[in-house]
Amino acid sequence: MTRSGLRGVSRRRLLGWTGAGAALAGAGAVAGFAAGESASDAPPDPSGGVVPFRGPYQAGIVTPAQDRLHFVALDLTTTDRRAVISLLQRWTTAAERMTAGAEAAPGGAVNRNPEAPPSDTGEALGLPAAALTITFGIGGSLLDKLGIPRPPELADLPPFQQDQLDPALSGGDLCLQACANDPQVAVHAVRNLVRTGFGTTSVRWSQLGFGRTSSTSTAQQTHRNLFGFKDGTNNLKAEEGALLDEHVWVPPPQGPSWMVGGTYLVARRIRMHVETWDRTSLAEQESLTGRTKGEGAPIGQAQEFDLPNLAPDSPIGPDAHIRLASAQNNGGAKILRRGYNFVDGSDGLGHLNAGLFFVAFMRDPHRQFVPMQSQLARFDKMMEYIDHTGSAVFAVPPGLGDGAYWGRTVLEG
Ligand code: HEM
């Protein structure tokens, strides 16, 4: 199955299948594929292929971090629970189709009634699935609006020293995190889901990201953030099952039952004053971070994955970022970071509006993110170069079994 030199499942090919009225969603098959064919039959796709949509955990958490992000937070424009359920059902169907490389809905961009708006916006026609994942999250404000008790883990984050939060870049009743190896595929996914939500949700804020700043698998090389440092070296990795159970996935006794196997997502939009950073000496940059810039080794060590020496008399200073954020300094707490770089144009004052869109997954933001960020906000000298301008927390329920839709266990009990 080859299209435009790309091997893999292309949206155009799927358009043909669905346009021909092919049977959809058979046992084990993915909606949008013809009977007897599935994403796994496709030869490898250089852009990453198809990531399974259903499974015990939602995709886009321990999935090896893709190169691009489009994240959107939405607010409900209704409190009618049936309307919300209907939307989540339609979202799930569309998301499953798009992650398989299909168009958002049957008929698609060009094969329907020419008198009606197309059921897909069209900009991903001919593109492969590109490892698209769409991760769904629920904000505490949605539960408040629908009269559902908030898990304590979903309580609002406390204010931190030096926060510069813009309400227009914070919060949200729902979130969708689309990650893919092609930015157009990620944007197409969010755009079509936003479109499907018209009348039930409206966009509150949205963020594009590139150049993943975290590796989430030992198979991935560590990329660099916009300060030029490797980011994600000492991150939790997909292969570390016991650590993920301990720090990321909600275990049965924690509850509520609809969150068991789920996790919590903390998003922080962090503006980085790259111009000031670029006028800082290399020695100072390394000392602030606690790692060397080239290799990414902890100061005093030689290799990237050498263990940092955090003894009080070690060359890693008391206010180095990696010391303050370390598990040793935070009661053993670890988080799974999955952030992206961003450049949102310029600020009108001669500076790039650049930074890190920090995304992290954890069992309990209040026991993991909050102590870490409290330490960083008070003592991290890197704070002189950054501003936290947006903040949000979402409950990310577990993955979906066959036939289930996003949020069913939350809304239907
Ligand atoms: C623009 C802001 C930030 C920058 C530029 C940044 C950069 C870095 C870099 C270069 C490392 C070392 C490589 C690594 O192990 O990943 C690191 C480590 C880390 N960062 Fe950040 N970071 C930022 C914000 C944050 C925030 C907000 C948190 C959490 C509240 C955080 C938590 C961590 C943790 C847990 C580590 C690993 C520490 C360890 O070695 O145990 N970072 N960060």
Side-chain angles (χ1 to χ4, degrees):
M1 188 178 314
T2 303
R3 159 98 192 139
S4 306
L6 288 172
R7 293 163 66 78
V9 182
S10 85
R11 284 176 169 75
R12 180 63 58 84
R13 173 68 193 264
L14 286 157
L15 180 72
W17 289 340
T18 54
L24 299 183
V30 177
F33 285 83
E37 297 203 54
S38 74
S40 59
D41 294 334
D45 167 356
S47 66
V50 173
V51 178
F53 180 75
R54 294 180 189 267
Y57 306 117
Q58 287 199 53
I61 301 168
V62 293
T63 308
Q66 302 93 324
D67 290 336
R68 302 293 186 136
L69 166 86
H70 191 182
F71 193 104
V72 65
L74 304 109
D75 284 335
L76 292 182
T77 53
T78 176
T79 51
D80 176 355
R81 197 183 278 222
R82 280 167 312 168
V84 178
I85 289 174
S86 161
L87 172 64
L88 296 182
Q89 288 170 334
R90 283 177 289 131
W91 265 1
T92 306
T93 305
E96 183 164 21
R97 290 177 57 90
M98 291 189 285
T99 55
E103 295 178 276
V110 293
N111 264 5
R112 225 165 63 151
N113 174 5
E115 307 303 326
S119 64
D120 180 281
T121 54
E123 70 271 31
L125 275 180
L127 298 178
L132 173 68
T133 55
I134 306 172
T135 315
F136 164 76
I138 297 172
S141 52
L142 178 137
L143 300 181
D144 298 347
K145 285 179 185 172
L146 298 183
I148 300 169
R150 279 195 200 205
E153 294 80 6
L154 200 50
D156 291 340
L157 294 179
F160 298 101
Q161 280 186 27
Q162 307 191 54
D163 270 358
Q164 303 276 333
L165 301 183
D166 178 348
L169 300 174
S170 301
D173 292 342
L174 292 158
C175 78
L176 297 165
Q177 173 198 259
C179 298
N181 291 322
D182 182 331
Q184 185 116 338
V185 169
V187 167
H188 168 262
V190 164
R191 177 180 174 195
N192 280 271
L193 295 173
V194 165
R195 177 179 190 249
T196 306
F198 183 73
T200 311
T201 54
S202 66
V203 171
R204 183 177 174 90
W205 55 268
S206 124
Q207 183 69 54
L208 289 174
F210 64 91
R212 59 178 169 80
T213 57
S214 290
S215 42
T216 53
S217 161
T218 52
Q220 292 186 299
Q221 280 196 339
T222 319
H223 276 203
R224 290 177 187 269
N225 60 37
L226 294 180
F227 284 162
F229 278 74
K230 289 186 185 173
D231 203 340
T233 302
N234 204 356
N235 198 14
L236 290 175
K237 303 277 158 80
E239 295 78 8
E240 299 177 314
L243 287 176
L244 296 175
D245 286 343
E246 187 182 343
H247 297 285
V248 177
W249 308 123
V250 174
Q254 184 177 321
S257 57
W258 57 265
M259 273 303 287
V260 172
T263 183
Y264 290 89
L265 183 162
V266 174
R268 304 281 288 185
R269 183 184 184 279
I270 307 177
R271 168 94 186 264
M272 290 160 65
H273 298 288
V274 290
E275 294 82 2
T276 321
W277 181 262
D278 295 343
R279 290 195 295 269
T280 304
S281 73
L282 175 61
E284 176 75 355
Q285 293 181 5
E286 293 187 332
S287 139
L288 290 172
T289 306
R291 287 183 176 270
T292 61
K293 195 163 187 175
E295 170 66 22
I299 305 271
Q301 315 283 333
Q303 306 287 327
E304 181 188 352
F305 292 100
D306 289 348
L307 285 181
N309 171 4
L310 296 180
D313 58 349
S314 96
I316 298 174
D319 44 16
H321 181 76
I322 66 161
R323 180 189 287 278
L324 293 166
S326 68
Q328 292 92 312
N329 198 52
N330 289 286
K334 291 175 183 260
I335 55 176
L336 175 73
R337 288 170 288 143
R338 208 176 189 284
Y340 287 84
N341 299 318
F342 69 82
V343 179
D344 293 346
S346 54
D347 66 2
L349 301 169
H351 307 124
L352 293 175
N353 187 352
L356 168 66
F357 186 66
F358 173 95
V359 176
F361 296 92
M362 64 207 77
R363 259 176 70 175
D364 183 351
H366 295 271
R367 289 175 185 267
Q368 294 166 275
F369 176 79
V370 169
M372 250 177 232
Q373 181 52 26
S374 306
Q375 289 285 309
L376 294 175
R378 291 174 65 201
F379 304 119
D380 189 1
K381 279 173 66 186
M382 200 185 269
M383 288 297 293
E384 290 172 23
Y385 301 85
I386 64 179
D387 287 320
H388 286 235
T389 57
S391 178
V393 188
F394 298 97
V396 176
L400 298 179
D402 285 345
Y405 67 88
W406 280 335
R408 185 183 68 79
T409 49
V410 190
L411 295 169
E412 295 185 24

